[in-house]
Amino acid sequence: PRSTLLPYTTLFRSSIVCFRYAKLLNLVRHEGYTVATISHPWRQDAVLHQYVLVPADSTLPETLPEGTIIRTPLRRSVVFTTVHCSLLSMLHREQHVAGVADLKYIKAPYVHDGVQKGRIMDCGDGMSPVIEKIIDLHPDALLLSPFENSGGYGRLEEIDIPIVECAEYMEPTPLGRAEWVRFYGILFGCEHEADSLFAVVDSSYNALKKLTSNSQKPKVNIDKITGSVWYVPGGRSTIGQMLADAGADYPWAQDEHSGSVALPFETVLERAGECDIWLLRYSGQQPLTRQQLLSEHQGYHQFRAFNNRQVYGCNVEQSLFYEESPFRPDLLLSDFIRIMHPDALPHHVLRYYHPVE
């Protein structure tokens, strides 16, 4: 639902919620409601979405700023991503997930248990969910991730249920992305828990950064070819920033992209062939081996890190890389530092990346 536009001069007793790292979020508290504005990740100086958060236990004011009204805290939500299912587990708000989409991609045990026992509804494919199931759940909101040039959300926009556009993955820094937990804390009525969680992440991450400030920087290559294209994280992406924070010399550190950059194999070999360390992500039921890597592309034997047995793989199928690292980047940074600067974290047990044998 959309509220009517209230003249700015009638707003009073407002206070800005300060974000230290998040660039796409703006929250202003007013008497009786909070306005949350999400900047457009792909259009400069544009707004992706504006929400008016009104406590569910209070009467809806007659006049409100323009935006999508959401009654808080959310008690019943439909969640479209594994990362946000896991986040709600971190915030101990699992009971407020009434339905999910793309169940096959969600790893949170409580979701699968809830679906099996009928507490949580499987609403089908995320790109074409079963609208009737979502309507029957009477959710307070739908949580899903926006994509550039997606063309909107189809029938989901027609059923009069607020859509929360989870755009934190477009933040340019790991801590900026993680700080969105404070927004979700407000949505789900656990602001104190969310603030406390982020305080731990903030402190831990910055303490880890200091460990490598005076260290030599090993050259680091990342990921591997997919088909005929090698996607490398741009220098302004969260992974690019994290590599810098881990004290790495990353060949694409000066690149201006905030997402991935598609490159041919030859370009990556030319710029990253002499890298000391190679970090890659893969999906499989068994640990990746050097032989399997070569079977995928014989050209890998030309990489210095491959020949020196300095290849580390993260099996995203068997680990919680995508579920944990967006809101706990300090855990991933610990892995990076342990691999690149072993003496800085000698007792850290690798969580996501392991040597490719």
Side-chain angles (χ1 to χ4, degrees):
R2 294 271 173 177
S3 59
T4 57
L5 182 63
L6 182 68
Y8 179 78
T9 53
T10 64
L11 301 179
F12 57 96
R13 297 186 185 178
S14 62
S15 63
I16 297 175
V17 178
C18 295
F19 287 93
R20 186 175 179 185
Y21 305 99
K23 303 299 184 186
L24 299 177
L25 265 181
N26 179 270
L27 268 72
V28 182
R29 299 186 195 275
H30 302 273
E31 187 169 302
Y33 63 91
T34 297
V35 177
T37 306
I38 301 177
S39 298
H40 207 296
W42 302 285
R43 288 165 47 195
Q44 192 172 5
D45 300 324
V47 172
L48 178 69
H49 212 130
Q50 182 159 292
Y51 301 97
V52 182
L53 313 180
V54 183
D57 59 0
S58 66
T59 303
L60 192 69
E62 293 183 4
T63 53
L64 288 168
E66 184 178 10
T68 299
I69 298 174
I70 297 180
R71 304 306 296 265
T72 59
L74 299 179
R75 295 301 184 192
R76 295 178 62 78
S77 61
V78 176
V79 185
F80 280 60
T81 66
T82 184
V83 62
H84 296 101
C85 286
S86 295
L87 173 63
L88 291 176
S89 181
M90 293 181 198
L91 295 175
H92 307 293
R93 289 300 184 272
E94 301 95 329
Q95 70 273 26
H96 300 311
V97 177
V100 297
D102 283 333
L103 177 64
K104 61 184 176 181
Y105 298 120
I106 295 175
K107 292 182 183 175
Y110 80 88
V111 171
H112 290 272
D113 181 67
V115 169
Q116 186 177 9
K117 295 180 179 177
R119 295 194 304 267
I120 297 175
M121 177 70 71
D122 177 4
C123 297
D125 182 81
M127 299 301 292
S128 56
V130 182
I131 300 297
E132 292 72 21
K133 288 185 176 182
I134 293 176
I135 294 173
D136 289 344
L137 288 173
H138 301 290
D140 303 315
L142 314 176
L143 273 66
L144 45 79
S145 297
F147 294 97
E148 186 176 14
N149 302 320
S150 66
Y153 303 109
R155 290 183 62 197
L156 290 176
E157 297 179 310
E158 303 172 2
I159 59 177
D160 204 30
I161 298 172
I163 295 175
V164 178
E165 300 195 79
C166 306
E168 75 276 349
Y169 77 97
M170 287 302 298
E171 287 284 348
T173 64
L175 288 176
R177 183 178 190 178
E179 195 170 19
W180 274 60
V181 68
R182 299 175 58 203
F183 171 54
Y184 297 117
I186 294 172
L187 283 177
F188 283 90
C190 53
E191 189 172 355
H192 175 72
E193 293 93 328
D195 288 348
S196 297
L197 174 59
F198 182 70
V200 170
V201 173
D202 186 14
S203 175
S204 173
Y205 192 97
N206 282 296
L208 288 165
K209 277 177 60 176
K210 293 179 181 178
L211 296 177
T212 67
S213 57
N214 298 318
S215 302
Q216 285 191 327
K217 296 183 177 182
K219 295 181 179 180
V220 178
N221 185 27
I222 196 160
D223 289 335
K224 60 190 181 79
I225 198 165
T226 303
S228 61
V229 177
W230 193 315
Y231 293 96
V232 301
R236 299 295 173 265
S237 66
T238 53
I239 291 293
Q241 180 63 57
M242 198 175 298
L243 290 171
D245 293 340
D249 180 0
Y250 179 48
W252 287 272
Q254 302 307 314
D255 178 88
E256 295 294 328
H257 290 88
S258 58
S260 296
V261 183
L263 299 172
F265 178 87
E266 293 74 18
T267 300
V268 178
L269 177 61
E270 180 181 356
R271 295 189 63 176
E274 294 301 311
C275 281
D276 306 294
I277 296 170
W278 182 6
L279 305 172
L280 57 86
R281 289 170 285 188
Y282 69 97
S283 177
Q285 295 301 315
Q286 300 295 330
L288 185 68
T289 66
R290 288 164 52 83
Q291 185 177 0
Q292 285 176 305
L293 268 178
L294 286 179
S295 69
E296 292 179 13
H297 200 293
Q298 283 293 321
Y300 289 150
H301 80 275
Q302 299 177 74
F303 285 85
R304 177 182 178 184
F306 182 86
N307 292 317
N308 291 344
R309 297 182 179 271
Q310 289 298 308
V311 184
Y312 294 81
C314 170
N315 189 343
V316 298
E317 184 77 22
Q318 301 297 320
S319 72
L320 296 176
F321 176 87
Y322 288 122
E323 288 72 21
E324 293 179 339
S325 63
F327 293 100
R328 289 302 308 265
D330 53 317
L331 300 179
L332 180 55
L333 184 64
S334 296
D335 266 19
F336 283 175
I337 292 175
R338 178 65 179 86
I339 293 169
M340 300 175 201
H341 310 278
D343 293 339
L345 282 179
H347 303 297
H348 173 72
V349 177
L350 292 172
R351 189 180 187 91
Y352 307 110
Y353 284 86
H354 303 280
V356 174
E357 303 295 350

